[in-house]
Amino acid sequence: MGNLTNRQIVLGITGGIAAYKAAELVRRLGDRGATVHVVMTKAAQQFITPLTLQALSGNPVHTDLLDPAAEAAMGHIELARWADLVLVAPASADFMARLAHGHADDLLTTLCLATSAPIALAPAMNQGMWRDASTQANAALLRSRSIALWGPAEGEQACGDIGPGRMLEAEQLAQHAANSFASRILDGKRVLITAGPTREAIDPVRYISNHSSGKMGFALAQAAADAGAHVTVIAGPVALKTPERIERIDIDSAQQMFDAVLERVDACDIFIAAAAVADYRPAAVADDKIKKQHAAMTLELVRNPDIVASVAQRKPKPFTVGFAAETTQVAEYARDKLERKNLDLIVANDVSQPGIGFNSDDNAVLALWSDGEMHIDARSKTQIARELIELIARQTHLQIA
Ligand code: PMT
């Protein structure tokens, strides 16, 4: 089954008898791991109730452009930004005409204009309407703007006609959605990724660690796997499910992460160090719980091995990507790390900014390499990871060429 884990899909439903099939589609998308927000036109609500779709999607259904309560929860522009894919199923002839001509007179058309996510339509209408020259011209116009048309299928229609105009089945649409995410830019490449924090034991019950959740590293793992790579994640202690098709090795300390990486690094083409590795560990780990004997205590710390720098010193080395968690002079410190650690690429994030960086769902990054840079503004770690994987694929191909 195709994979939609962590994909954020806006499902637009327009008015037509096939709207009832949208209920099944919400389930099929959810079964594959997608989070779905449903947007319904007024006409769609004549065929199926928002309540049904709310129950199936587990999210409030969006119906009005000018609804202050809905806008306060997740405004239409926010929804347009949130989407990884906007799928309109069923897409009526009227909706296709309005979209083709740039109308923004309801929530769904406005959202389609505002989004930078790919848009796909599943046309559903009477065969005569589908064959009509205006619908065909609208379909051609939409395709010329890279809006995908999935279907329609041919067969018996609700009105009794036989011909093209049936909406594809829910399972077929879910498969199209999964296929739409699958790029093969890292086909066959082996990618090793570190993710999450490390824990440096002080005694059997205490440790030094940090706030890394592993979300950035796991999002990269997912994006690399979706791009066709064989992915291994060396994960510190994180509370995340392992994405499908990914090998996961769990470790605790920086030394264990170092050992796990060195064991596998020669077999990888790309190494990405997204983990927040502790720079220091206690010089000695007490066998028993340390007692509160004194008003103050001093802990002696020693340096941990620098994993990404060690990988980057190997000959030959994989394409090596580091991260830089900075709070000031982000670009300057990151470029210094890029050069000092002999990296091919570094991804800097400003971890002093609220809402991005450690333990949040979003991030904003500056990627730097020897003769270039790329900013990615605040958005979900899933989306950032996808853009970074595209960048890494471009850079690795450049290096090989
Ligand atoms: O896990 P999340 O909650 O999603 O948060 C993501 C993140 C903020 C942890 C991530 O985006 C990030 O910035 N990871 C790197 C954090 C870090 O340790 O940065 P640094 O600037 O201290 O280290 C620079 C690079 O050296 C990093 O690639 C790090 O993995 C690597 N390193 C550091 C120390 C060490 N001993 N070995 C290493 O490999």
Side-chain angles (χ1 to χ4, degrees):
M1 186 187 281
N3 180 33
L4 289 171
T5 309
N6 293 331
R7 300 300 184 183
Q8 302 180 158
I9 298 180
V10 166
L11 175 62
I13 306 178
T14 70
I17 185 63
Y20 79 92
K21 290 190 188 174
E24 178 65 12
L25 179 54
V26 171
R27 296 197 67 148
R28 296 300 171 108
L29 295 171
D31 287 349
R32 289 168 182 259
T35 306
V36 180
H37 270 267
V38 174
V39 174
M40 298 178 79
T41 63
K42 270 205 166 46
Q45 295 167 59
Q46 306 289 319
F47 291 91
I48 182 167
T49 69
L51 198 59
T52 305
L53 294 153
Q54 177 173 316
L56 290 170
S57 68
N59 286 312
V61 170
H62 310 259
T63 53
D64 288 316
L65 184 56
L66 304 172
D67 174 354
E71 284 292 303
M74 195 196 254
H76 64 282
I77 298 296
E78 211 178 325
L79 200 55
R81 285 202 194 113
W82 174 87
D84 295 325
L85 169 71
V86 177
L87 168 58
V88 183
S92 64
D94 176 63
F95 178 78
M96 286 175 59
R98 288 191 295 125
L99 187 61
H101 293 92
H103 290 213
D105 50 3
D106 67 4
L107 177 57
L108 189 54
T109 45
T110 308
L111 193 144
C112 286
L113 288 189
T115 193
S116 58
I119 302 174
L121 310 183
M125 64 198 74
N126 164 269
Q127 55 85 23
M129 292 170 78
W130 171 253
R131 290 189 216 264
D132 186 82
S134 348
T135 307
Q136 287 304 307
N138 290 335
L141 198 53
L142 292 166
R143 282 198 193 96
S144 73
R145 296 187 192 139
S146 303
I147 293 179
L149 265 58
W150 296 342
E154 294 208 19
E156 194 175 343
Q157 304 202 291
C159 56
D161 280 7
I162 295 179
R166 280 172 62 94
M167 188 170 100
L168 294 189
E169 297 305 322
E171 182 53 32
Q172 291 173 299
L173 289 173
Q175 186 60 53
H176 271 290
N179 293 347
S180 75
F181 288 112
S183 74
R184 307 305 297 175
I185 47 178
L186 288 184
D187 215 5
K189 291 268 184 287
R190 292 152 307 169
V191 178
L192 185 62
I193 300 177
T194 64
T198 63
R199 278 184 189 168
E200 309 302 322
I202 298 170
D203 68 15
V205 298
R206 302 181 180 96
Y207 55 80
I208 299 169
S209 191
N210 58 63
H211 295 292
S212 171
S213 62
K215 287 177 190 169
M216 192 68 245
F218 275 56
L220 284 160
Q222 176 77 64
D226 289 345
H230 303 285
V231 182
T232 303
V233 179
I234 314 282
V238 296
L240 295 177
K241 269 182 30 193
T242 313
E244 277 174 42
R245 295 170 284 130
I246 284 161
E247 183 192 13
R248 171 177 178 166
I249 316 288
D250 287 311
I251 54 83
D252 273 327
S253 67
Q255 184 63 49
Q256 288 169 351
M257 185 174 270
F258 179 76
D259 294 342
V261 166
L262 284 207
E263 211 175 289
R264 291 163 183 84
V265 72
D266 287 335
C268 82
D269 304 297
I270 298 169
F271 175 65
I272 307 176
V277 186
D279 289 319
Y280 293 90
R281 66 176 184 277
V285 183
D287 289 335
D288 297 312
K289 185 179 170 199
I290 300 169
K291 291 286 173 205
K292 274 188 292 197
Q293 284 163 337
H294 309 289
M297 84 177 251
T298 304
L299 204 55
E300 190 192 345
L301 301 176
V302 293
R303 282 289 285 268
N304 272 325
D306 191 314
I307 301 167
V308 76
S310 308
V311 168
Q313 269 164 22
R314 296 174 80 82
K315 289 191 177 72
K317 74 171 165 78
F319 185 87
T320 306
V321 181
F323 268 71
E326 308 294 349
T327 53
T328 57
Q329 301 171 65
V330 175
E332 198 180 322
Y333 286 145
R335 199 163 275 288
D336 173 62
K337 278 180 189 165
L338 175 78
E339 286 160 14
R340 204 163 25 84
K341 299 195 185 203
N342 191 32
L343 308 177
D344 296 300
L345 185 81
I346 195 152
V347 181
N349 35 200
D350 184 344
V351 291
S352 68
Q353 295 293 319
I356 61 168
F358 282 102
N359 199 21
S360 62
D361 291 334
D362 296 341
N363 209 355
V365 301
L366 169 66
L368 299 167
W369 57 100
S370 61
D371 56 357
E373 62 177 62
M374 183 175 101
H375 267 283
I376 310 179
D377 294 338
R379 63 199 64 181
S380 72
K381 283 180 178 169
T382 308
Q383 288 166 320
I384 298 231
R386 243 174 270 142
E387 295 191 35
L388 287 175
I389 289 298
E390 281 171 22
L391 173 65
I392 290 168
R394 279 199 301 277
Q395 293 294 321
T396 45
H397 295 150
L398 282 180
Q399 268 210 347
I400 290 162

